[in-house]
Amino acid sequence: MTSLQDSLGRLDAYLGSVRTDGVLNLIGGKSSEAASGAVFQSVSPVDGSVICEVAKGGAEDIDAAAKAAKEAFPAWRDLPNAERRSLLHRIADRIEERAEEIALCESWDTGQAIRFMSKAALRGAENFRFFADRAPAARDGQMLPSWTLMNITTRVPIGPVGIITPWNTPFMLSTWKIAPALAAGCTVVHKPAELSPVTARILADIAHEAGLPPGVWNVVNGYGEDAGRALTEHSDIKAIAFVGESRTGSAIMRQGADTLKRVHFELGGKNPVVVFEDADLDRALDAAVFMIYSLNGERCTSSSRLLVQSGIAEEFTARLVERVNAIRIGHPLDPATEVGPLIHWDHLRKVTSYFDVALQEGATIAAGGERIGEQGCYVRPTLFTGARADMRIAQEEIFGPVLTVIPFDTEEEALEIANGVAFGLAGYVWTNDLTRALRFTDRLEAGMIWVNSENVRHLPTPFGGVKASGIGRDGGDWSFEFYMEQKHIGFALGKHHIPQLGKPH
Ligand code: NAD
């Protein structure tokens, strides 16, 4: 790994053109300013310095992008599968070639530590390869013969789709949503998060350099209530794939109602990690710490509630405090850094406000609980103990490096606490009792559960949440189910009886 000084020098070179030209929209293969001429600034959470200006797109830009996506759709839909597959692989090749640039820009724009962001770029390439290889079979269907008909099914791409992404790991998440859409044969209008616009534009540029036809992938930057809303309301956009907060998901559902949008939501979480007395406690500790304090805790699948069985609670918590206090906080481009600055000052205010909430509710701040410095959005990794399941710190998504510890006595109690929140994205269970693991996971309300493991993503498995954590699944063939329409065609096998109306007896 290169040193912080090296990385800063390279970042400077990579950001050269972004600084001078700004981040423009990309519509119909052409870079453009917002129709209104408006811009906003992207600012680094490290020190508040301006990274670049960004086109502030609105309804007019969304309309132009949706029209470009509609025009490009028939040719992209009808592209031979082998060509689609190799084009998507070419995009993956170029992501790998520019992985360092992507990682450095992403760290600087979001505050996420480089040790995690360098992998995010490669994960993005992997997403493209995975769906590239599945593209040729995307339209495959079934044969469901009856006595009279040969029934077949096939899948066709739904049309131009809108993709709206958040700021926490913007590059990886954009590839996660856009790669399957393209592989399915859809064209795309992407609205990246306003707080982290830089790598979305690099990604779209990579795709065009790899030979993607103009209009297939359009990018409109701007604010959620403005460009985002217009995208969800546009009649040429057939579906919205959204990753973000649960309440934004509700708003999008309302906004898309008039045009009957199909929606796919990957939303918030308040995920439990449940540690039973019989678990491998060393591994459970490693996993619990990793799942909440990596990626600054700005991670939808973070294990933000630790449910620990009473008999081991005291010792486990003491070990946890030691580990949390030892986490290395620092500049996100420093390879030694484990936790960097939060994305933005508004988010810093939100996260730190929970320190007061915890104390008011009668919990204890066992580690952290304070901002670091005055300049950047740094906060000390924090641990709340003495919490009850009904407290706000145990119910609400804080989305920072903040863990709430709740002790429990019995399996039933653990299940009640685990399920007693609005969310249901992920769950982590630590026990060496196989029967209990089977029983517990069966009743745990979550879209994804790992037993004796941290979150280890395997792309063919379904990714998504229940309750307020989402609608729909990504991964494997599930992504294609969203981006494609099922079609049934029945061929008569002979001369079966057709009811004869209006015919004289
Ligand atoms: P957010 O909902 O504030 O914003 C996400 C995106 O939605 C942004 O691009 C924003 O501009 C846009 N947006 C906002 N209002 C809109 C509107 N009315 N219409 C259309 N678009 C609108 O979320 P965020 O703060 O950027 O991201 C953090 C959230 O994302 C957390 O809740 C986190 O759990 C969630 N998340 C979920 C997953 C998952 O897979 N379940 C993954 C990552 C993040």
Side-chain angles (χ1 to χ4, degrees):
M1 257 194 216
T2 48
S3 70
L4 173 60
Q5 280 319 314
D6 275 359
S7 295
L8 283 171
R10 293 155 106 99
L11 173 74
D12 218 42
Y14 288 135
L15 283 178
S17 65
V18 172
R19 283 206 180 102
T20 48
D21 304 345
V23 172
L24 298 172
N25 294 333
L26 184 68
I27 299 174
K30 293 200 183 76
S31 291
S32 57
E33 293 177 358
S36 66
V39 293
F40 63 96
Q41 290 182 329
S42 184
V43 170
S44 174
V46 175
D47 56 7
S49 61
V50 175
I51 300 174
C52 59
E53 293 203 321
V54 186
K56 186 165 177 274
E60 208 176 317
D61 307 278
I62 289 288
D63 185 50
K67 288 198 169 107
K70 187 179 180 185
E71 203 182 312
F73 176 64
W76 180 248
R77 175 194 61 201
D78 297 338
L79 190 76
N81 275 330
E83 280 179 48
R84 191 188 315 282
R85 180 179 176 279
S86 58
L87 211 164
L88 296 179
H89 272 294
R90 279 206 301 280
I91 296 175
D93 294 341
R94 282 170 184 259
I95 292 174
E96 283 167 3
E97 281 161 27
R98 290 174 69 175
E100 182 190 74
E101 173 188 358
I102 292 162
L104 293 176
C105 292
E106 186 95 318
S107 277
W108 186 241
D109 204 9
T110 62
Q112 297 280 13
I114 192 70
R115 65 166 61 216
F116 302 118
M117 286 309 96
S118 52
K119 291 179 194 116
L122 299 176
R123 278 272 311 274
E126 214 180 294
N127 289 339
F128 267 91
R129 294 203 191 287
F130 178 82
F131 288 108
D133 287 339
R134 276 176 160 67
R139 293 188 188 199
D140 289 0
Q142 298 182 33
M143 187 161 84
L144 302 162
S146 68
W147 195 242
T148 48
L149 296 169
M150 185 177 73
N151 297 290
I152 62 156
T153 70
T154 182
R155 282 194 301 205
V156 291
I158 191 168
V161 297
I163 292 177
I164 302 178
T165 48
W167 47 258
N168 59 327
T169 49
F171 184 84
M172 201 287 291
L173 282 171
S174 301
T175 61
W176 177 234
K177 307 303 283 186
I178 293 171
L182 297 178
C186 295
T187 52
V188 169
V189 178
H190 179 204
K191 209 298 282 170
E194 51 271 45
L195 293 179
S196 58
V198 175
T199 55
R201 182 54 211 261
I202 296 176
L203 178 60
D205 282 345
I206 284 176
H208 287 88
E209 283 161 22
L212 196 77
V216 171
W217 180 341
N218 308 275
V219 182
V220 178
N221 291 284
Y223 290 179
E225 323 74 74
D226 205 357
R229 170 185 273 273
L231 182 58
T232 61
E233 290 176 347
H234 202 286
S235 57
D236 287 338
I237 297 294
K238 299 301 169 203
I240 295 287
F242 168 74
V243 186
E245 281 192 39
S246 301
R247 65 162 183 259
T248 314
S250 305
I252 290 176
M253 203 172 234
R254 281 194 295 277
Q255 293 160 198
D258 279 350
T259 49
L260 293 173
K261 284 283 182 297
R262 177 184 290 187
V263 292
H264 185 162
F265 290 160
E266 290 181 5
L267 309 174
K270 189 74 178 176
N271 311 297
V273 50
V274 185
V275 182
F276 288 98
E277 284 167 356
D278 65 10
D280 180 333
L281 298 181
D282 293 340
R283 287 176 64 77
L285 183 67
D286 285 343
V289 170
F290 175 72
M291 280 313 303
I292 183 64
Y293 299 108
S294 59
L295 298 177
N296 298 345
E298 296 164 324
R299 174 180 201 154
C300 56
T301 53
S302 72
S303 54
S304 48
R305 291 183 295 154
L306 170 67
L307 278 51
V308 57
Q309 203 158 14
S310 306
I312 53 162
E314 199 174 321
E315 196 195 331
F316 196 82
T317 310
R319 291 178 68 192
L320 192 56
V321 170
E322 218 171 282
R323 290 285 289 274
V324 177
N325 283 330
I327 289 174
R328 287 184 290 275
I329 309 147
H331 194 293
L333 296 186
D334 184 337
T337 293
E338 293 173 330
V339 166
L342 300 177
I343 181 79
H344 190 267
W345 286 261
D346 289 343
H347 191 54
L348 177 74
R349 271 188 285 281
K350 176 188 159 178
V351 171
T352 52
S353 75
Y354 281 94
F355 304 158
D356 291 336
V357 172
L359 294 175
Q360 282 155 14
E361 289 183 316
T364 302
I365 300 178
E370 58 183 7
R371 185 181 172 187
I372 305 172
E374 292 296 312
Q375 215 189 1
C377 299
Y378 290 93
V379 66
R380 212 172 278 291
T382 297
L383 186 72
F384 297 142
T385 55
R388 281 194 327 272
D390 61 348
M391 291 179 175
R392 284 182 58 199
I393 55 168
Q395 291 285 327
E396 297 174 12
E397 185 185 44
I398 300 174
F399 217 57
V402 181
L403 176 60
T404 301
V405 183
I406 312 165
F408 67 88
D409 288 319
T410 63
E411 186 182 319
E412 287 66 34
E413 192 189 349
L415 191 70
E416 200 183 311
I417 298 171
N419 288 344
V421 293
F423 300 101
L425 187 60
Y428 306 89
V429 182
W430 286 85
T431 177
N432 276 319
D433 180 338
L434 175 64
T435 315
R436 169 156 60 200
L438 287 168
R439 200 168 46 226
F440 199 86
T441 52
D442 185 51
R443 293 166 65 200
L444 186 58
E445 294 168 357
M448 298 169 283
I449 303 172
W450 283 269
V451 177
N452 297 335
S453 174
E454 82 285 28
N455 168 350
V456 181
R457 187 80 191 101
H458 181 51
L459 298 183
T461 59
F463 186 100
V466 301
K467 294 157 73 178
S469 290
I471 297 175
R473 294 292 179 272
D474 263 322
D477 198 57
W478 287 277
S479 298
F480 289 153
E481 278 295 301
F482 176 70
Y483 291 116
M484 302 184 85
E485 293 280 19
Q486 282 285 351
K487 199 187 260 190
H488 158 241
I489 310 163
F491 298 89
L493 289 173
K495 293 191 184 299
H496 64 272
H497 173 70
I498 299 175
Q500 296 168 327
L501 305 186
K503 197 172 174 190
H505 290 289

